[in-house]
Amino acid sequence: MLLKNKNILITGATDGIGAQISKLYSSHGANIILLGRNEEKLNKIYDDIIENTDTKPLILECDLNQISDNGAKEIADAISDEYGVLHGLIHNAAELGKLTSLENYSLDDWDKLMRVNLTAPFLLTKYLLPSLKEADNGRVILTSSGVAHKGRAFWGAYSISKAALKTMQEIFSEEFEGSSSIKFFSFDPGATRTKMRSAAYPAEDPNNLKSAEDLNDYYLWFFSKKSNQKEINFISFGDSL
Ligand code: NDP
C-alpha cells in the first residue's frame, strides 16, 4: 500500500500503458483520476478498480484534442473540489499521428497531434500546480520516447512533440528546483506491446515485446523515497534506479 490515499491523475488511462498504470497504482491504494476520451473504456476500468480495490477513482471524460484553457481549468477545479490535493500527474496520453515526411504533413494533422501530445500536458500541469503544491513530494511524469533525443525521418510531429515535451520537463524542473518538493520526470518506456506500437511497427511480432506490466517497477519508483534523491530527471526503461 505504497500509494495509500495518494491522488494520481493519469491521462490516456483507457488503454496500453495508461490502463496498466491505473490498475497498478490503484492496487497500491491510490485514488486514480482516469482521464480519457472513450466513455465505455473509462467505465470498464472504473468498474474494475471499484471491484478490486478500496479506493476512490474518478472519471474525467475529455478528448485532449479539444482541450482549451477553460477546459483545463475546469479539470483542475474538479480535482481540487473532489480531492483537495494531487500527488501525481502522469502525462501518458499521446497520438502517433501520421508517419510521413514533414513535406507532406498537413497543418490539420500537426495541430491535432500537438494539442494532445504537447498543449494538453502544458495546460494541465499549469492549472494543476496549485493542487500538486499541496502534496509532499508531488510528481509530474511526462512520457517520452526514443525519438525525443534525435529527430527521425517520417516520424513528423510525434518526434517533434516528444522533443518539446522533454524541454518542457527540463524547464519545469529548473523553475521548481529548490523552491518546491515537486519533481518533474521524463520517462521513456521503450518498445512496449500496445496498440500505438503496433500502429508504428505493423510488421513486428508483438510477442517479442515486453508488456506494459514490465514497466511496473519504474512507475512505482517515481513515488518512492529513492526518487527524491535522483539528480537525473530523464529515465529510460533499462536504466538502473
Ligand atoms: P496506446 O495507443 O495503447 O494508448 C494511448 C492512450 O492515450 C489511450 O488510452 C488513448 O485513448 C489515449 N489518447 C490518445 N489520444 C487521446 C485524446 N485525444 N484524448 C484523450 N486520450 C487520448 O499507447 P501506449 O500505451 O503505447 O502509449 C502511452 C505513452 O507511451 C505515449 O505517450 C507514447 O508516446 C509513449 N510511448 C510508447 C511506446 C510503446 O512502445 N508503446 C514507446 C515509447 C513511448 P483511447 O483508448 O481512446 O484510444
Side-chain angles (χ1 to χ4, degrees):
M1 284 292 154
L2 173 72
L3 302 174
K4 191 156 176 56
N5 297 326
K6 294 215 185 297
N7 309 315
I8 302 176
L9 168 61
I10 300 172
T11 70
T14 45
D15 217 319
I17 295 169
Q20 172 55 28
I21 322 168
S22 304
K23 268 194 225 162
L24 171 73
Y25 283 170
S26 55
S27 75
H28 282 272
N31 302 313
I32 302 301
I33 302 140
L34 303 156
L35 190 151
R37 61 184 166 182
N38 182 313
E39 188 185 359
E40 204 178 313
K41 282 163 113 178
L42 283 165
N43 285 335
K44 195 164 173 288
I45 297 203
Y46 179 93
D47 290 346
D48 185 61
I49 291 176
I50 291 289
E51 205 173 303
N52 293 298
T53 72
D54 191 19
T55 67
K56 200 173 137 209
L58 178 74
I59 287 180
L60 288 178
E61 193 180 332
C62 173
D63 184 345
L64 294 174
N65 221 337
Q66 310 290 326
I67 191 125
S68 62
D69 210 44
N70 270 340
K73 270 189 220 158
E74 279 172 20
I75 287 173
D77 288 346
I79 291 172
S80 172
D81 290 350
E82 185 71 18
Y83 299 105
V85 49
L86 186 67
H87 302 87
L89 169 53
I90 317 292
H91 291 297
N92 164 78
E95 290 188 5
L96 180 64
K98 295 221 169 100
L99 297 181
T100 186
S101 66
L102 283 179
E103 191 178 13
N104 288 317
Y105 222 94
S106 74
L107 177 60
D108 195 37
D109 290 336
W110 172 280
D111 281 343
K112 278 188 196 148
L113 185 141
M114 286 298 180
R115 197 154 278 266
V116 177
N117 293 16
L118 194 59
T119 309
F122 159 62
L123 284 177
L124 289 174
T125 307
K126 174 177 166 167
Y127 289 114
L128 284 163
L129 279 168
S131 295
L132 285 159
K133 286 177 187 167
E134 294 294 318
D136 288 334
N137 303 317
R139 289 288 177 266
V140 180
I141 316 301
L142 297 116
T143 311
S144 196
S145 158
V147 294
H149 312 288
K150 187 173 183 312
R152 192 182 298 166
F154 311 116
W155 279 69
Y158 178 82
S159 179
I160 295 168
S161 73
K162 292 296 185 182
L165 205 57
K166 180 170 171 267
T167 304
M168 193 192 302
Q169 172 263 303
E170 288 163 357
I171 293 173
F172 271 128
S173 291
E174 270 200 35
E175 289 175 353
F176 279 80
E177 199 176 359
S179 66
S180 162
S181 61
I182 304 175
K183 282 196 89 157
F184 299 82
F185 287 102
S186 286
F187 177 56
D188 172 9
T192 308
R193 192 167 62 240
T194 66
K195 77 175 156 65
M196 182 185 285
R197 179 76 192 183
S198 303
Y201 296 91
E204 184 176 65
D205 180 355
N207 295 317
N208 294 333
L209 298 174
K210 69 178 183 302
S211 72
E213 268 181 78
D214 294 324
L215 301 167
N216 284 359
D217 287 350
Y218 286 85
Y219 281 104
L220 287 176
W221 178 86
F222 289 118
F223 290 92
S224 70
K225 289 201 175 112
K226 272 176 95 181
S227 70
N228 288 333
Q229 273 91 53
K230 192 84 174 173
E231 297 288 322
I232 296 162
N233 294 84
F234 194 103
I235 315 281
S236 298
F237 179 79
D239 288 353
S240 55
L241 298 172

